[in-house]
Amino acid sequence: MNPKTLRIVFMGTPEFAVPSLRRLVAEGYNVVGAVTVPDKPAGRGRHLRESDVKIAARELGVPVLQPEKFRDPAFLDALQALQPDLGIVIAFKMLPEVVWAMPRLGTFNLHASLLPEYRGAAPINWAIINGERETGITTFLLNHEIDKGAILAQERVAIAPEDNVGTLYERLMLLGAELVTATVDRIAAGDCTPVEQMHFDESRLHPAPKIFKEDCRIDWRQPGERIVNLVRGLSPYPAAWTPIFKKGEPSDTAKIFAVHFEPGGVVQRPGTVETDKRTYLAVACADGRIVVDELQIAGKRRMSARDLLPGMRDLSDYSFGEEAAEA
């Protein structure tokens, strides 16, 4: 079967899905429709914002469907009218069986981890936060459970010490576009044997749940390597953060974007600020100090410690987190 003749319905929302859609169209695959979320109010003016997938689909001349509900008969009729042979899902909502089972060859998902590890909404973040040295991408068939369908293909990717979620996201996004087209080719050729996700001890697998604000808060009592990984795994978005105290009283908050670890030496109480007031800003942790390279005080722009320090006074009065403030 010629993969370019398959009638493909593409389903997704954010930027991560866009390179795959663009690559499919650019290489001549027959994308007959794109399904994405309805436009939503955003920004100060609450103007309607279109999803990244909708914007790309419109530029590419791909018809767009934006259902409020996936079981809406009008949407299902419109989807059926596209006569889909294959569905592709990237970074989208959980779909009911009536949608993912409609294409005659089924529907596959692109996920940014090496399944079965890191099932969930934030696999790239959690892989870095947990100090992994390798991750990857997976295509798998949708079924009734989240991220548990039969695996079609995988590609492994090394995580470099200097990677943060932004750099790794970019690499996986682009590599994902390659894996999507390769998976379509293999399905069309009939040489893609799904491998069920079975016989795993679920309690030993790493989950990747949605990240909330408290997940991003730095605990300066932790070892330095763990704090570095937390910052990397949340930079540039949503960003690790810490409360700032002045003379033991809450003063401000700061997002922390880039740090490095200096182990050992005289270990101060966690959260204690050490600085030369010119270029060096460090915070004591369990086994050394975290040198802060880039940060953003609430209400100010993101900047290097070198740029921030000259404008701050009485730095000896400050501490990061409650750990030192409560001393």
Side-chain angles (χ1 to χ4, degrees):
M1 182 188 306
N2 183 349
K4 305 294 177 68
T5 63
L6 293 177
R7 298 178 63 83
I8 295 172
V9 170
F10 188 93
M11 294 173 261
T13 298
E15 175 193 28
F16 192 81
V18 170
S20 294
L21 175 59
R22 290 191 180 280
R23 186 179 181 113
L24 286 165
V25 174
E27 296 193 3
Y29 292 86
N30 187 23
V31 182
V32 295
V35 180
T36 191
V37 296
D39 300 348
K40 295 181 178 180
R44 291 184 179 180
R46 307 302 290 167
H47 299 296
L48 289 179
R49 184 188 183 280
E50 299 175 331
S51 75
D52 294 324
V53 163
K54 179 182 178 180
I55 293 169
R58 187 174 61 243
E59 292 174 358
L60 297 167
V62 176
V64 176
L65 299 176
Q66 296 178 272
E68 292 283 352
K69 296 181 180 180
F70 293 125
R71 298 182 187 276
D72 181 353
F75 164 66
L76 295 176
D77 288 345
L79 190 62
Q80 185 65 64
L82 295 175
Q83 298 180 304
D85 296 312
L86 181 65
I88 299 174
V89 174
I90 304 176
F92 202 38
K93 298 179 179 181
M94 188 172 182
L95 298 172
E97 182 176 1
V98 68
V99 174
W100 56 256
M102 186 180 294
R104 65 181 183 85
L105 296 176
T107 298
F108 75 80
N109 192 329
L110 174 71
H111 186 73
S113 82
L114 295 172
L115 291 175
E117 293 285 9
Y118 295 102
R119 294 170 176 151
I124 306 175
N125 303 89
W126 286 109
I128 298 178
I129 291 170
N130 290 337
E132 301 286 2
R133 297 183 179 181
E134 183 183 64
T135 185
I137 48 175
T138 302
T139 51
F140 68 96
L141 292 173
L142 289 188
N143 64 10
H144 296 94
E145 298 183 275
I146 296 176
D147 299 338
K148 293 187 178 182
I151 292 171
L152 300 175
Q154 290 186 320
E155 287 287 340
R156 295 180 177 272
V157 175
I159 302 176
E162 63 273 15
D163 270 326
N164 61 23
V165 71
T167 59
L168 187 57
Y169 177 101
E170 186 78 17
R171 291 213 307 280
L172 293 177
M173 178 174 65
L174 298 178
L175 185 59
E178 297 179 14
L179 190 64
V180 163
T181 54
T183 301
V184 173
D185 290 346
R186 290 179 60 187
I187 289 173
D191 67 351
C192 193
T193 303
V195 178
E196 296 291 339
Q197 296 186 52
M198 299 171 61
H199 311 303
F200 294 107
D201 182 349
E202 299 280 340
S203 67
R204 294 180 179 273
L205 295 177
H206 295 93
K210 183 178 179 180
I211 290 175
F212 295 95
K213 184 177 180 179
E214 270 311 300
D215 298 317
C216 305
R217 184 178 183 140
I218 298 172
D219 182 350
W220 300 101
R221 296 167 297 186
Q222 294 291 324
E225 184 177 345
R226 187 171 299 178
I227 294 173
V228 169
N229 289 339
L230 178 70
V231 172
R232 293 169 56 224
L234 297 170
S235 180
Y237 182 82
W241 69 278
T242 182
I244 300 175
F245 288 77
K246 185 175 182 180
K247 294 182 178 180
E249 296 297 324
S251 170
D252 227 322
T253 61
K255 292 182 177 181
I256 311 294
F257 294 97
V259 299
H260 64 274
F261 176 46
E262 291 182 350
V266 178
V267 178
Q268 305 288 335
R269 181 179 293 273
T272 301
V273 171
E274 301 177 34
T275 178
D276 63 1
K277 300 184 180 181
R278 297 188 306 275
T279 63
Y280 179 83
L281 175 64
V283 185
C285 62
D287 52 353
R289 53 195 52 78
I290 297 294
V291 180
V292 179
D293 300 311
E294 285 187 75
L295 72 166
Q296 182 177 14
I297 306 296
K300 300 183 183 295
R301 64 180 177 86
R302 175 176 172 175
M303 64 182 74
S304 67
R306 180 186 296 271
D307 291 336
L308 174 72
L309 288 173
M312 296 189 71
R313 298 178 180 178
D314 303 322
L315 285 168
S316 59
D317 293 336
Y318 287 91
S319 60
F320 281 17
E322 289 90 345
E323 298 83 6
E326 294 172 353

